[in-house]
Amino acid sequence: MSRKQRSALVEWTIDIAVIVLAAAIFSVGIVCFISPNDIAPGGGTGIAIILSELTSLPLGLLIAAVNIPLIVAGFVLLNKKIMVKTLVSVAVITLMTDFVFADMPLYNADGGNGILAAVFGGVLMGAGIGLTYARGATSGGTDIIAKIVSRFYPDLKLGQIQFFSDAVIILLGLAVFRDLDAALYAVISVFVQSKLVDMLVYGGQESRLLMVFSEIPHEISKRLVEADRGVTLLQGEGAYSGTHRHVIVTAVYKSDYTKIRRMIRDTDPLAFVIVTSAGEVFGKGFQPLN
């Protein structure tokens, strides 16, 4: 086995181990907080919770039943490697939900603390989803639907597709459970999940892209380079004045942004700065482009 093959095998093993851990965390959120309180928080899990109420079948079995046709479609239409990992995730969630965690203590919100169930359930499910995403997989359900729809309708954003599908599932939950509080808790759970997923997947990678217009670009560039920041100088021309000048372009992690902005201000208080968000930056000084 070559060094490259060994490295790929080690990475694959780590991916599967993290996905199994993520599935376990996800399952705890479902079993202990979400399902006992009739919260249907969108996705394949929300559909399974609704079907479990209607049929009394085991929740894990229904999660598998909902996901199997979607996984088959994913193997046909999407990346095979992603779908293999997704299959592992769904299989572990099924086993954990129906067997491993079946006898865990349940948090029952009959006393009026449903918001705690929604928040803690959302945190655990979001942590599971975020860790799964970070290892190049999905937790199944509407994630697969969104990717398939996006492939054929690229103008639709994944977030828009998932928001619409989650909204439909929450409304179905309202119709089945006839509990407005539970539906509102589902909205809270989905919101918490999305925030935690963003934090886990992009939180440490979120960056800022700065474009700096200054009369003294070389002085600013020098200070940025001394701060170990990569800098590119673009040639610009004022449309009104016709003046040629350099435009400084640099990317910094969100945690370093305030320090860099202060450095630019101290060097040239009259500088004109445009700042935009960059979800991810790859290359030297940032995460590797794998």
Side-chain angles (χ1 to χ4, degrees):
M1 183 181 293
S2 68
R3 182 176 179 180
K4 184 176 180 180
Q5 289 174 324
R6 286 196 300 270
S7 177
L9 179 60
V10 169
E11 184 175 356
W12 177 264
T13 303
I14 293 173
D15 286 347
I16 297 302
V18 173
I19 288 169
V20 170
L21 173 63
I25 295 171
F26 185 90
S27 298
V28 171
I30 297 171
V31 173
C32 295
F33 295 99
I34 298 299
S35 179
N37 296 289
D38 296 337
I39 299 173
T45 302
I47 296 174
I49 289 172
I50 293 171
L51 292 176
S52 182
E53 172 68 16
L54 295 174
T55 64
S56 298
L57 291 173
L59 179 58
L61 176 65
L62 290 170
I63 290 175
V66 169
N67 279 284
I68 285 173
L70 297 176
I71 291 174
V72 172
F75 270 108
V76 174
L77 300 171
L78 301 176
N79 183 284
K80 305 295 187 297
K81 185 177 180 180
I82 292 176
M83 296 316 302
V84 169
K85 293 179 180 179
T86 298
L87 179 61
V88 172
S89 176
V90 171
V92 175
I93 289 172
T94 298
L95 294 173
M96 294 281 185
T97 301
D98 280 352
F99 299 102
V100 179
F101 299 135
D103 296 324
M104 287 193 70
L106 308 181
Y107 180 84
N108 196 305
D110 286 343
N113 291 319
I115 191 168
L116 291 179
V119 170
F120 280 95
V123 166
L124 291 169
M125 292 178 68
I129 295 171
L131 289 171
T132 303
Y133 281 177
R135 305 314 299 187
T138 76
S139 57
T142 52
D143 291 344
I144 301 174
I145 296 174
K147 289 181 181 297
I148 292 174
V149 172
S150 180
R151 177 179 175 181
F152 292 101
Y153 299 95
D155 291 338
L156 294 176
K157 296 181 179 179
L158 287 174
Q160 293 174 332
I161 301 168
Q162 289 179 316
F163 173 81
F164 176 77
S165 60
D166 286 343
V168 170
I169 294 167
I170 290 172
L171 290 175
L172 287 174
L174 174 61
V176 170
F177 293 115
R178 298 186 179 278
D179 186 342
L180 180 58
D181 285 344
L184 295 176
Y185 295 148
V187 174
I188 293 172
S189 179
V190 170
F191 177 79
V192 172
Q193 285 180 54
S194 65
K195 290 300 179 182
L196 200 63
V197 168
D198 287 345
M199 184 180 72
L200 288 172
V201 178
Y202 302 112
Q205 305 166 5
E206 187 176 353
S207 304
R208 296 286 185 265
L209 177 67
L210 285 73
M211 299 181 66
V212 184
F213 302 81
S214 171
E215 298 291 339
I216 49 173
H218 295 288
E219 286 83 346
I220 294 177
S221 299
K222 181 180 178 181
R223 293 203 61 183
L224 291 173
V225 170
E226 289 173 349
D228 203 26
R229 290 293 92 199
V231 179
T232 299
L233 293 175
L234 305 180
Q235 290 288 344
E237 179 182 349
Y240 177 75
S241 65
T243 304
H244 291 270
R245 66 176 62 185
H246 285 110
V247 179
I248 303 164
V249 179
T250 187
V252 300
Y253 279 121
K254 184 179 179 181
S255 57
D256 295 329
Y257 166 65
T258 301
K259 179 180 69 176
I260 296 300
R261 185 181 66 180
R262 188 181 301 116
M263 183 185 299
I264 295 171
R265 181 202 64 194
D266 293 343
T267 307
D268 181 7
L270 300 179
F272 183 81
V273 184
I274 299 175
V275 183
T276 62
S277 295
E280 295 179 282
V281 180
F282 299 95
K284 186 177 180 181
F286 295 88
Q287 57 181 325
L289 182 59
N290 293 324

